[in-house]
């Protein structure tokens, strides 16, 4: 076996054998295949995409390229959750402690945000003291103790994915569906999960801009997971507008916490976010076999929120990972930006759209996201939407608030967001958060 | 401008602007674009090939990436010659001094052989003392003095091509026609030539295995050269069987020298080689304007051979580049292998084919070629064909001689060559050496 024949085969659109894919992945990790050959293979794989079987082999080989978490000391069922990333997507902050409070064991590795899609790790890092660097053994030990643990991506798990991802990022080959699938699933397999809920975001604020693309990714994830023997539930969810009210790291934690605490009477965007959390919880609880069906799962999740079980688990989790007591009890004391500007509605009418891409870009420009990997993020900045698509608004109604480091930055961000807002004179039927399921 | 957008554009099959191509070539040379991004671009360019205009821009940018030879001190016309490479292709050894003896200024950079296609530089290096490392200034000075100079590829000329070629070789992207075209023509442009004769070989012993591929390369060369303002004449020539009798470095010099000296009564394969040299000389002389038409060019070349002018120029050339006096006067004293074995014809019949690929591989296995760049070649080994396709042979007739380092190696090579020989009971019309012209 040599890299020349593997490259030629991909270039010519032939199928790889399992041995060829394992050879490639070994070469990534031991350095025997240089970057320039791997990147040529990645471009060939972008233009001549891997089939489902090749994708599954790549997934398994990458999952086996480093340490695999051994969750066997932990009570079953073991669940994990992954979102393809979106604007205002703080689902993990609610869903993970909620599931743990229902008796599931939740072990998750999360990534940092890049571009307009935020990262769970950045959101949690806005909580003073919160550790995002648990080692694999700390992770398992904490999950054994309290049923939930989350950490950043360990270099020991799926190291081949780390090598290939860095090259994909540098070579314009990130957006290949089979490569996305193998990257996502290999980390889930290496993380030891049994049941994984995959949230494929769809719209201007997501990687997949339309339903066709999102469906293609969702079905590729399903097919490869099936071959790999991983139990998945896949939801395609709306990212044409931001999820919930808050976009920005500390702001999103501040929005998630009351939801977890079962607080009533929130704004419509937050209610929509809460609804998606309950949908995903119901799907996960049913898939893990802890309840008979999703209706029962949803009821169980509702009770966990309203009974205080979920927020207690959330506090226990933050505390276990080192968060400051004050921040846990008073999330309103998380970092606050020096400037807050509320934008009034310039038109009357029905809100027809709040473009997630525009809001995401505004928050990146405010310093709440990264343009490149080495950027640091400002946890305090962001945008809070006060009204939702479908609502009837009057001229002058408060529409959104910008949290910024300066007046100029706030003004600029408000302009960007406003450009993404559209109105209609006719009533508008807002898109549901959960579009479809696989 | 950034490499990300250039990569995405090639990946998506869009056309590059001239600025994008110049950015890429600059990045090759100054190291600002890392190998792994260049190789991803090469694979994208292999799968989404450059159009004629892009190929010409790449050619010009690579030609301008380093030193360009200034031939202005030399008498015009300035000619250069390039072959895409074949088995037994020693044309340059005869054609260059022949053209110089007719009054043209010949300045050429040649490459070493790799795989079954030999390199002119290796053939000349079998002559004791012959220098293949003239600097650009030595090259021009020698051409000014005697009208002919040849050297290995200078790292100072078209350095971008050197970077890209090494990556193409490592990434399975050598055989892209636009990349071949820009590599060939950029070196010709940097070498300062005015008229270039391009010999596109076609058949099992060449890079282009069939006439369609060879025609595609020939017309891509013509189109790009035209946009670059380079005067070219392009010949598609047969490489289904070896060119001439000898295949192997010193053996080829020994075959070429009598042809240059106008010796009569050679075997049919050598006569065929001589015919192609005269065809190419006629084309070049006519293209350079030194004669009215090709008929006149052919007559001039015939006279140069028969009058001794060509061999005198050849000796002057070798002498100027340091070749030992003895080797120049007595080419029969060039390195000789310890073993010579002549293979008898196992069948009677008409010789229908002598596969160039099989002969080329046999010579590489004998040590006369390189499997990888760092291999050293044995100048003495090779194969000499004694009969040509189309001849009627009797069982037991001497068919070819193997020159080898050992009896075992000779036996093995004879087997390989014999597997490539085919017979027919019907008369066979052999393919002409010159198939067609563009």
């Amino acid at each position: 076996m040599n890299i020349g024949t593997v490259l030629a085969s991909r270039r010519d659109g032939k199928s790889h054998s399992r041995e060829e894919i394992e050879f490639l992945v070994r070469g990534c990790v031991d350095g025997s295949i240089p970057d320039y050959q791997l990147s040529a293979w990645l471009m060939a794989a972008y233009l001549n995409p891997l089939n489902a079987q090749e994708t599954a082999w790549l997934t398994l080989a990458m999952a086996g390229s480093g340490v695999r978490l051994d969750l066997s000391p932990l009570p079953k069922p073991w669940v994990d959750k992954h979102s393809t990333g979106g604007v205002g997507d703080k689902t993990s902050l609610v869903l993970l402690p909620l599931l743990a409070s229902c008796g599931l064991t939740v072990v998750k590795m999360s990534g940092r945000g890049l571009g307009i899609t935020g990262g769970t790790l950045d959101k949690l890092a806005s909580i003073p003291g919160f550790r995002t660097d648990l080692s694999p053994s700390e992770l398992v030990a904490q999950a054994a103790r309290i049923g939930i643990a989350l950490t950043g991506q360990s270099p020991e798990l799926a190291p081949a994915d780390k090598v290939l991802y860095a090259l994909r990022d540098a070579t314009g080959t990130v957006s290949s569906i089979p490569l996305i699938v193998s990257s996502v699933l290999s980390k889930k397999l290496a993380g030891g999960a049994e049941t994984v809920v995959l949230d494929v975001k769809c719209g201007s604020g997501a990687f997949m801009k339309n339903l066709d693309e999102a469906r293609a990714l969702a079905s590729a994830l399903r097919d490869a997971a099936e071959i790999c023997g991983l139990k998945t539930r896949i939801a395609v969810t709306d990212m044409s507008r931001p999820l919930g009210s808050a976009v920005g790291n500390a702001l999103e934690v501040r929005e998630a916490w009351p939801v977890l605490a079962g607080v009533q009477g929130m704004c419509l965007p937050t209610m929509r976010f809460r609804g998606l959390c309950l949908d995903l919880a119901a799907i996960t609880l049913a898939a893990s076999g802890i309840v008979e069906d999703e209706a029962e799962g949803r009821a169980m999740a509702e009770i966990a929120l309203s009974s205080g079980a979920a927020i207690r688990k959330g506090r226990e989790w933050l505390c276990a990972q080192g968060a400051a007591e004050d921040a846990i009890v008073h999330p309103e004391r998380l970092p606050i930006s020096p400037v807050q500007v509320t934008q009034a509605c310039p038109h009357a009418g029905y809100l027809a759209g709040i473009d997630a891409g525009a809001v995401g870009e505004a928050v990146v420009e405010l310093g709440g996201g990264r343009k490149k990997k080495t950027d640091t993020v400002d946890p305090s900045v962001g945008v809070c939407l006060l009204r939702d698509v479908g609502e009837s608004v009057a001229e002058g109604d408060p529409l959104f608030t910008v949290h910024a480091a300066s007046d100029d930055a706030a003004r600029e961000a408000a302009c960007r967001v406003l450009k993404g807002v559209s109105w209609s004179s006719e009533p508008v039927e807002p898109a549901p958060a959960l579009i479809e399921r696989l």
Side-chain angles (χ1 to χ4, degrees), chain A:
Chain A
M1 179 99 42
N2 69 68
I3 181 65
T5 57
V6 176
L7 271 167
S9 151
R10 193 80 249 147
R11 179 195 71 193
D12 298 340
K14 295 178 194 149
S15 293
H16 286 316
S17 66
R18 182 165 194 166
E19 290 66 35
E20 286 181 322
I21 287 181
E22 288 174 348
F23 167 81
L24 199 70
V25 168
R26 246 189 337 268
C28 277
V29 178
D30 67 18
S32 61
I33 303 175
D35 282 358
Y36 53 84
Q37 290 180 321
L38 294 173
S39 64
W41 182 85
L42 287 168
M43 183 58 83
Y46 184 100
L47 292 168
N48 292 321
L50 276 68
N51 63 32
Q53 178 64 72
E54 293 174 298
T55 306
W57 284 333
L58 179 59
T59 304
L60 290 167
M62 295 206 299
S65 68
V67 169
R68 288 182 77 147
L69 284 192
D70 175 15
L71 304 188
S72 60
L74 307 182
K76 290 198 172 195
W78 309 323
V79 297
D80 193 353
K81 177 252 172 190
H82 182 84
S83 157
T84 60
V87 174
D89 180 13
K90 71 229 67 162
T91 315
S92 291
L93 301 184
V94 169
L95 188 62
L96 302 184
L98 172 56
L99 293 173
S101 76
C102 293
L104 305 190
T105 296
V106 179
V107 176
K108 177 165 166 55
M109 268 159 300
S110 278
R112 300 200 172 276
L114 188 61
I116 62 171
T117 63
T120 300
L121 222 55
D122 292 321
K123 300 172 206 220
L124 286 165
S126 73
I127 303 170
F130 189 86
R131 283 185 59 201
T132 57
D133 61 348
L134 304 187
S135 68
S137 60
E138 284 178 309
L139 194 72
V140 174
Q142 179 181 310
R145 213 165 64 243
I146 64 166
I148 179 169
L150 179 147
T151 190
Q153 271 154 28
S154 160
E156 296 160 71
L157 274 79
D161 175 65
K162 195 169 242 48
V163 173
L164 289 181
Y165 192 86
L167 285 173
R168 283 166 61 204
D169 194 38
T171 56
T173 52
V174 166
S175 59
S176 159
I177 284 181
L179 298 180
I180 295 171
V181 166
S182 56
S183 177
V184 167
L185 296 183
S186 66
K187 285 179 284 196
K188 298 294 142 193
L189 279 172
E194 207 181 28
T195 302
V196 179
V197 176
L198 299 166
D199 180 357
V200 176
K201 297 285 183 200
C202 169
S204 71
F207 206 71
M208 298 294 156
K209 302 298 180 197
N210 60 54
L211 194 53
D212 284 347
E213 293 176 9
R215 280 179 177 150
L217 175 55
S219 58
L221 282 164
R222 180 197 54 201
D223 295 346
E226 193 174 316
I227 302 176
C228 294
L230 187 66
K231 200 198 299 181
T232 55
R233 287 294 180 280
I234 305 178
V236 176
T237 70
D238 179 56
M239 193 38 71
S240 62
R241 62 193 199 272
L243 182 61
S245 159
V247 181
N249 295 298
L251 293 172
E252 294 188 42
V253 176
R254 286 206 265 172
E255 182 184 16
W257 233 235
V259 171
L260 194 63
V263 169
Q264 300 294 313
M266 294 168 289
C267 67
L268 280 184
T270 300
M271 289 306 290
R272 184 169 177 264
F273 161 62
R274 179 182 185 275
L276 183 63
C277 291
L278 287 168
D279 288 340
L280 294 175
I283 291 170
T284 315
L285 290 166
S288 68
I290 205 165
V291 292
E292 281 292 310
D293 57 26
E294 292 181 13
E296 204 183 311
R298 194 173 176 102
M300 180 187 262
E302 294 261 20
I303 291 167
L305 293 183
S306 59
S307 68
I311 187 73
R312 278 194 302 277
K313 184 55 72 180
R315 287 181 178 145
E316 193 179 6
W317 169 37
L318 297 195
C319 182
Q321 295 203 208
E325 173 88 25
D326 188 54
I328 297 172
V329 184
H330 300 290
E332 69 280 8
R333 296 188 193 156
L334 287 177
I336 290 183
S337 65
V339 174
Q340 284 91 35
V341 175
T342 294
Q343 173 68 46
C345 206
H347 305 285
Y350 293 95
L351 271 178
I354 304 170
D355 185 66
V359 177
E361 276 162 30
V363 174
V364 171
E365 290 298 330
L366 284 167
R370 290 181 188 81
K371 289 183 191 171
K372 53 183 199 293
K373 277 183 191 162
T374 48
D375 289 346
T376 53
V377 298
D378 181 342
S380 71
V381 298
V383 171
C384 287
L385 305 175
L386 305 173
R387 307 297 293 267
D388 202 358
V389 170
E391 285 193 81
S392 160
V393 290
E395 193 182 323
D397 276 1
L399 192 57
F400 58 84
T401 303
V402 176
H403 298 243
S406 70
D407 290 333
D408 282 355
R411 252 192 306 274
E412 208 180 297
C415 271
R416 282 177 191 273
V417 174
L418 260 189
K419 277 191 194 141
V421 179
S422 53
W423 286 266
S424 164
S425 55
E426 302 295 313
V428 171
E429 186 63 45
L434 179 62
I435 299 174
E436 63 184 30
R437 309 210 2 232
L438 267 80

